[in-house]
Amino acid sequence: MPATGFSSKPEKKGDAAAKQQQQRRDPYEVLGVARNSTDQEIKSSYRRMALKYHPDKNQNDPVAADMFKEVTYSYNILSDPDKRRQYDTSGFEAIDSENQELELDLSSLGTVNTMFAALFSKLGVPIKTSVSATVLEEALNGSVTVQSLQFGKPLCRKVEKQSAQFYSVNINEKESQLGLVCRVHSRGSSKFKLLYFEQEVNGGLSLALQEDSRKTGKMSSAGMFFLCFPVYRFDQTKSMAVVKDPDAAFFRKLDGFQPCEINELKAGRHIFAVYGDNFFKSATYTIEVLCGEAFSTEKEKLRDVEAKILAKRLELSKFESEYREVLAQFTDMTKRYAHEAEEIDGLLKKRNTVHASYSTNPPLSWSSSSSKVRSSFKGSMAEENPAKEKKSRDRPRKKKWFKLHLKVDKQKPC
């Protein structure tokens, strides 16, 4: 995307925004896809172009860097169903560019930027990372080592940061119909991605699916479910987006619940991989592949609970409008309550002031009144007992024992 030029005159905010919109290209044109393209076609085109213009392969090339940003920005619009519908309806005006999520490739970051990214991740700010271009290119060229993985036999391995370990699984026709589940879990704070690759005609591998690990307690896990019926995935980066309004965060909680692009696998050889997504250290994990035959009850439970989640998401969208309306009424009533309470207190204060004005004596201060009370009290006591006061005056005072004058003869020894 060409850089914006500088002008000697300051541009108005609206003019700058209009100029920026004019410079943006159509996302469909950027990715080279038709407007009726499927999600998979858009994703495949994006990965191909992102790999072509990736900073790792085009160092010190500003044109490639701009193209990479433009391709990523376009994909962020077309990969989201809501944003794609908004763009198709109203163009860029309906897209809030400040809230666009960008996938961060850790391998293209310097040490300082990686430390900042790790800090934000530690503070709970969701950072969506992407697989290293080096790993994707090696897979596309077919130059990766693939290890065989059997049903029901988990393997424990260790993967370095921004590296991947590949596994192959062979399934027959029956196993394809029963379904397949691939799960990876890790103890501690290990962060990783579970990847699924499709085999190309030339023997290379292209990334088709990826699942980020989720931390639950002391365990991190990720899974892919190919059960021959629509299965949904939960994107935390969309559901955990930083929102200042806590109510908006609640109503957006299920926005990351989206259907998986692939629901079943055909008989044959399939490739999975575990990618080390930690910022600084390796990840120790356990991977296993399970056949759906032994989990028929779990399949029905999964289908049932996901149907309830979909219904709840639809219910939330309806409930939000009702909640906002009632909340606005409640806010108005609260303001009126405070206003009425203030007016009532003011009227009562005025009433008390009017009541206090019905008097001929001016109000006395506390200090003057108390001194006058004390003096009048002493005077009355003197009038009542004059003889007693005179007697007390005439009585000689006794000398205290410690003030007696003792005569001592200094000539006589003691």
Side-chain angles (χ1 to χ4, degrees):
M1 197 161 49
T4 306
F6 293 95
S7 174
S8 58
K9 296 182 179 180
E11 295 181 352
K12 295 182 179 180
K13 187 175 181 181
D15 296 339
K19 186 176 181 180
Q20 185 181 7
Q21 288 186 7
Q22 290 177 359
Q23 291 178 345
R24 295 176 185 171
R25 286 200 297 157
D26 180 17
Y28 294 99
E29 178 186 350
V30 173
L31 296 179
V33 295
R35 287 189 170 270
N36 59 350
S37 298
T38 63
D39 294 339
Q40 188 61 39
E41 291 173 342
I42 293 174
K43 181 175 292 187
S44 299
S45 178
Y46 161 70
R47 285 172 178 156
R48 184 178 63 256
M49 297 187 70
L51 189 60
K52 178 180 179 181
Y53 297 108
H54 199 278
D56 283 355
K57 300 179 61 178
N58 303 274
Q59 296 182 1
N60 301 324
D61 188 349
V63 178
D66 289 340
M67 282 297 301
F68 181 77
K69 294 177 183 178
E70 189 178 25
V71 167
T72 304
Y73 177 75
S74 301
Y75 177 70
N76 286 331
I77 296 176
L78 300 185
S79 62
D80 189 305
D82 294 332
K83 293 175 183 176
R84 182 179 180 182
R85 183 176 62 254
Q86 292 172 2
Y87 174 78
D88 291 341
T89 305
S90 305
F92 285 112
E93 295 180 358
I95 305 298
D96 185 5
S97 60
E98 294 181 358
N99 293 330
Q100 292 295 321
E101 298 174 358
L102 295 178
E103 290 191 359
L104 183 65
D105 183 0
L106 300 183
S107 62
S108 63
L109 295 179
T111 305
V112 177
N113 291 334
T114 303
M115 292 178 65
F116 275 110
L119 176 62
F120 283 115
S121 179
K122 196 77 173 178
L123 294 175
V125 180
I127 298 177
K128 193 172 184 178
T129 57
S130 63
V131 182
S132 169
T134 304
V135 173
L136 296 178
E137 187 174 10
E138 291 177 352
L140 195 60
N141 296 333
S143 58
V144 295
T145 302
V146 181
Q147 184 178 354
S148 178
L149 187 62
Q150 298 180 359
F151 282 98
K153 293 184 178 182
L155 292 178
C156 184
R157 294 289 185 269
K158 181 178 181 181
V159 61
E160 297 298 328
K161 60 179 182 179
Q162 284 85 63
S163 299
Q165 293 176 344
F166 291 77
Y167 300 92
S168 64
V169 179
N170 293 307
I171 61 175
N172 54 36
E173 195 66 36
K174 181 181 178 182
E175 292 168 341
S176 172
Q177 295 175 0
L178 294 173
L180 178 146
V181 175
C182 181
R183 284 182 55 82
V184 180
H185 62 270
S186 174
R187 296 188 180 275
S189 57
S190 294
K191 188 181 178 187
F192 56 88
K193 295 180 185 293
L194 175 59
L195 311 176
Y196 172 73
F197 288 84
E198 291 180 339
Q199 293 187 347
E200 300 290 339
V201 179
N202 59 356
L205 304 173
S206 61
L207 182 61
L209 293 175
Q210 73 175 38
E211 287 289 336
D212 293 350
S213 60
R214 294 187 60 187
K215 189 174 181 181
T216 306
K218 297 182 179 180
M219 184 79 68
S220 298
S221 61
M224 291 184 179
F225 301 84
F226 308 94
L227 302 175
C228 303
F229 62 83
V231 177
Y232 289 77
R233 57 192 298 269
F234 192 68
D235 189 351
Q236 294 185 86
T237 57
K238 292 184 179 181
S239 301
M240 294 175 59
V242 180
V243 184
K244 294 182 179 180
D245 184 5
D247 293 335
F250 167 74
F251 288 110
R252 302 280 84 79
K253 193 171 185 177
L254 297 180
D255 284 359
F257 194 68
Q258 300 293 336
C260 293
E261 294 86 347
I262 304 175
N263 296 320
E264 59 180 317
L265 299 179
K266 297 180 179 180
R269 184 172 179 259
H270 298 275
I271 306 297
F272 295 90
V274 179
Y275 177 77
D277 205 23
N278 275 351
F279 286 92
F280 297 110
K281 60 182 181 179
S282 59
T284 303
Y285 65 92
T286 300
I287 183 172
E288 59 181 340
V289 177
L290 305 171
C291 181
E293 183 178 7
F295 300 93
S296 57
T297 304
E298 287 75 7
K299 288 169 62 175
E300 294 302 323
K301 289 182 179 180
L302 179 62
R303 182 183 294 186
D304 179 64
V305 70
E306 290 191 342
K308 290 181 179 179
I309 293 175
L310 288 174
K312 182 60 66 176
R313 187 175 65 178
L314 181 62
E315 183 181 338
L316 273 180
S317 62
K318 297 179 180 179
F319 172 58
E320 182 178 9
S321 58
E322 299 175 3
Y323 174 82
R324 297 291 184 187
E325 182 179 355
V326 174
L327 182 62
Q329 294 178 358
F330 174 77
T331 304
D332 293 340
M333 288 298 174
T334 304
K335 291 180 180 179
R336 180 180 175 182
Y337 177 92
H339 177 70
E340 295 292 343
E342 185 179 357
E343 282 196 351
I344 290 173
D345 291 341
L347 291 174
L348 291 177
K349 188 176 180 179
K350 288 182 180 179
R351 179 178 178 274
N352 292 337
T353 304
V354 173
H355 280 193
S357 65
Y358 284 92
S359 175
T360 57
N361 298 324
L364 299 175
S365 62
W366 169 254
S367 59
S368 60
S369 61
S370 59
S371 60
K372 289 181 179 180
V373 169
R374 285 197 299 269
S375 61
S376 62
F377 176 76
K378 291 181 180 179
S380 62
M381 291 294 294
E383 292 176 358
E384 291 178 2
N385 302 312
K388 185 176 180 181
E389 183 180 0
K390 184 178 181 180
K391 185 178 180 181
S392 62
R393 289 178 182 176
D394 297 341
R395 183 183 301 170
R397 294 183 178 181
K398 295 183 179 180
K399 293 183 179 181
K400 295 183 179 181
W401 64 271
F402 52 83
K403 291 185 178 181
L404 294 177
H405 180 68
L406 300 177
K407 294 183 178 182
V408 180
D409 192 355
K410 298 181 180 179
Q411 295 179 356
K412 296 181 180 181
C414 296

